Amino acid sequence: MISSPLVGIEAHASQSEAKFVQSVNKALPELEKLYLHLHQNPELSYQEKATGERMAKELSALGFEVTDNYGGYGVVGIFKNGDGPTVMIRADTDGLPIIEQTGKPYASTVITTDGDNNTVGIMHGCGHDIHMTSLIGTAAQLVEHKSQWQGTLMMVAQPAEEVGGGAKAMLAQGLFTEFPTPDHVLGLHVSASVPAGKVAIAPGYALANVDSVDITVKGKGGHGAYPHTTIDPVVLAARTVMALQTIPSREISPLEPNVITVGSIHGGSKHNIISNEVKLQLTLRSYNPEVRELQIAAIKRMTKGIAVSAGVPESLMPVVYVHEDETIPSTYNDPSLATSVQSSIEREIGQSNVVKAEPVMAGEDFGLYGRTSEKRPITIFWLGAVEPKLYEASMAKGETLPSLHSSKFAPDYPLTISTGVRAMSRSAMDLFNSK
């Protein structure tokens, strides 16, 4: 079992804080075992049965009141420790359909069948195994040091984050009504671009609105030698792809970040056949909810306008379908809560180890916990996961590191877990003690 020593205790902690760090260090061997188990036994979205059972078992052993199979295979653990605020901490649990290629001796070798009956590998390529281990480590520390805080601790192991369904399902089942309504909601996410031992945080918008959109461009097929007798949907699709790029550049303010990417285009079957339709698949990204609405409205208007200009009859107008069930709202880190969390983490691991994060166009359904009618304050922070020497070498050489969702993403898990537990535990404890 590999353990990373915790650095800088004397420089960053009082005597009582040093004891807390020693407590985290003492717990690391068992946390590393948990991490390796989770890493080697990943499950796909909506299939996280064994993972949920393990998380429920870990929380029950710590004295939490546990509800499992919530919103799918989600788990909710409640630990009441006197009067005070309710702090919710969330971790996601699902893996990705990726064959791991890290070459690590503990690499996942799991093979399964996905929802489309395809045989796929599974790995925790987005760090959810780190998230879950940090959740359990934080729960253990807060229980062990319960004399130092008062309130209700709510631990949530959420399924199906990768497909944008888990948070929706848990909230729809009554997460904020059947259980104590949280005053603060915290989360963390590993970063493949920040060295282990450091944390990055961004007040305000942190992650983007995400929409999946399908466009079916219709036309009138025929022989490739007689294009004048057809209405070519391939040409219409090509015009549409180029025109869509004018939405971010010419229809939405340059002060409002947004992206429209055509990730897939399919049409036709043979060199000399003009098909009847072409299918496009898009991903839309933005921060401002109003910008999202502008994107969708402009896409519908523009695709129809191009079809009309080509003489497409009303019966063959393009179809724009927005996958509302997969829509993920942007994550807005409450500025006051984010500032408080940042201060707590700086006191715990040192100011030099906390850096400012820039907003990214990736999506995370964590944002939904702040979009309820009560507008709960939420904050998620980035947990550095890159082995420090590897990070330094890559920076020196200008090389790109394996990203999240890469088959070669391999976090420095001992240091990452210890930092995550310290950062999250201190943040929660300070929130419990805030007036």
Side-chain angles (χ1 to χ4, degrees):
M1 187 60 58
I2 303 170
S3 291
S4 290
L6 297 175
V7 180
I9 295 175
E10 296 80 8
H12 303 307
S14 66
Q15 184 175 359
S16 62
E17 291 170 333
K19 290 181 179 179
F20 175 76
V21 177
Q22 291 165 4
S23 176
V24 175
N25 202 27
K26 182 179 178 181
L28 275 178
E30 290 302 313
L31 289 177
E32 291 173 19
K33 289 179 183 178
L34 174 61
Y35 168 80
L36 292 174
H37 170 81
L38 295 170
H39 186 84
Q40 293 174 323
N41 295 277
E43 295 174 294
L44 293 177
S45 307
Y46 298 121
Q47 299 179 18
E48 314 94 331
K49 184 175 186 294
T51 303
E53 289 174 350
R54 181 60 184 265
M55 296 302 286
K57 178 182 176 182
E58 293 286 338
L59 290 171
S60 293
L62 292 169
F64 283 75
E65 299 173 20
V66 174
T67 302
D68 58 3
N69 297 323
Y70 201 86
Y73 292 116
V75 178
V76 182
I78 301 294
F79 189 89
K80 296 181 179 179
N81 188 35
D83 295 331
T86 297
V87 176
M88 172 181 148
I89 302 174
R90 170 269 206 178
D92 33 16
T93 64
D94 48 336
L96 289 161
I98 301 172
I99 296 175
E100 182 167 350
Q101 296 178 317
T102 61
K104 299 293 185 181
Y106 54 85
S108 169
T109 58
V110 176
I111 302 293
T112 192
T113 301
D114 66 12
D116 296 322
N117 209 32
N118 298 313
T119 299
V120 296
I122 316 177
M123 75 172 286
H124 274 298
C126 201
H128 295 188
D129 44 2
I130 293 282
H131 304 174
M132 289 185 281
T133 306
S134 297
L135 183 87
I136 297 302
T138 297
Q141 290 304 314
L142 290 172
V143 170
E144 181 175 343
H145 298 279
K146 62 183 180 181
S147 63
Q148 298 179 29
W149 59 274
Q150 284 187 292
T152 298
L153 177 60
M154 180 178 179
M155 302 304 252
V156 173
Q158 178 214 298
E161 183 277 330
E162 294 293 352
V163 293
K168 291 176 185 176
M170 296 191 86
L171 288 166
Q173 189 166 335
L175 183 66
F176 285 178
T177 55
E178 291 186 18
F179 303 97
T181 304
D183 298 290
H184 312 285
V185 181
L186 301 180
L188 57 74
H189 199 298
V190 298
S191 171
S193 59
V194 176
K198 292 183 180 292
V199 164
I201 190 165
Y205 286 115
L207 295 122
N209 296 309
V210 179
D211 280 285
S212 295
V213 177
D214 295 341
I215 302 176
T216 302
V217 178
K218 301 180 181 182
K220 178 184 175 183
H223 199 296
Y226 314 112
H228 60 290
T229 66
T230 73
I231 301 176
D232 191 340
V234 173
V235 173
L236 294 181
R239 289 176 60 190
T240 299
V241 170
M242 297 306 295
L244 292 176
Q245 302 312 308
T246 66
I247 298 173
S249 67
R250 289 297 179 270
E251 297 208 18
I252 296 173
S253 168
L255 302 179
E256 293 282 3
N258 73 106
V259 173
I260 296 178
T261 294
V262 179
S264 172
I265 179 168
H266 290 276
S269 60
K270 199 173 186 298
H271 301 74
N272 61 352
I273 298 175
I274 294 174
S275 63
N276 288 316
E277 65 178 32
V278 173
K279 293 184 179 293
L280 308 177
Q281 293 181 315
L282 288 66
T283 186
L284 314 186
R285 308 289 168 125
S286 62
Y287 297 124
N288 187 337
E290 294 180 2
V291 170
R292 172 186 178 267
E293 296 298 329
L294 288 172
Q295 287 178 320
I296 294 171
I299 289 171
K300 291 178 178 179
R301 186 193 75 245
M302 195 169 285
T303 52
K304 182 176 182 179
I306 291 171
V308 169
S309 73
V312 175
E314 186 65 31
S315 61
L316 295 178
M317 282 294 112
V319 176
V320 177
Y321 178 73
V322 181
H323 292 263
E324 297 286 355
D325 58 329
E326 297 179 11
T327 295
I328 299 173
S330 57
T331 295
Y332 184 80
N333 281 345
D334 180 83
S336 178
L337 180 57
T339 299
S340 174
V341 168
Q342 179 175 338
S343 296
S344 295
I345 298 174
E346 286 176 349
R347 286 195 299 272
E348 178 61 33
I349 66 173
Q351 189 173 6
S352 62
N353 289 321
V354 181
V355 299
K356 185 180 185 302
E358 296 299 327
V360 297
M361 281 290 175
E364 237 282 5
D365 67 1
F366 179 79
L368 281 164
Y369 297 115
R371 295 297 183 98
T372 60
S373 58
E374 292 86 6
K375 301 292 183 183
R376 299 290 106 192
I378 67 171
T379 284
I380 191 169
F381 59 84
W382 295 100
L383 179 64
V386 184
E387 196 280 317
K389 290 185 178 179
L390 177 62
Y391 176 84
E392 292 175 4
S394 69
M395 293 299 102
K397 297 177 182 179
E399 296 177 346
T400 302
L401 293 162
S403 66
L404 298 177
H405 290 217
S406 165
S407 63
K408 297 184 179 181
F409 174 63
D412 179 359
Y413 68 87
L415 183 54
T416 303
I417 292 167
S418 67
T419 305
V421 171
R422 291 177 64 191
M424 188 62 82
S425 297
R426 183 60 59 193
S427 297
M429 197 174 295
D430 287 351
L431 287 172
F432 280 122
N433 293 326
S434 63
K435 302 298 181 182

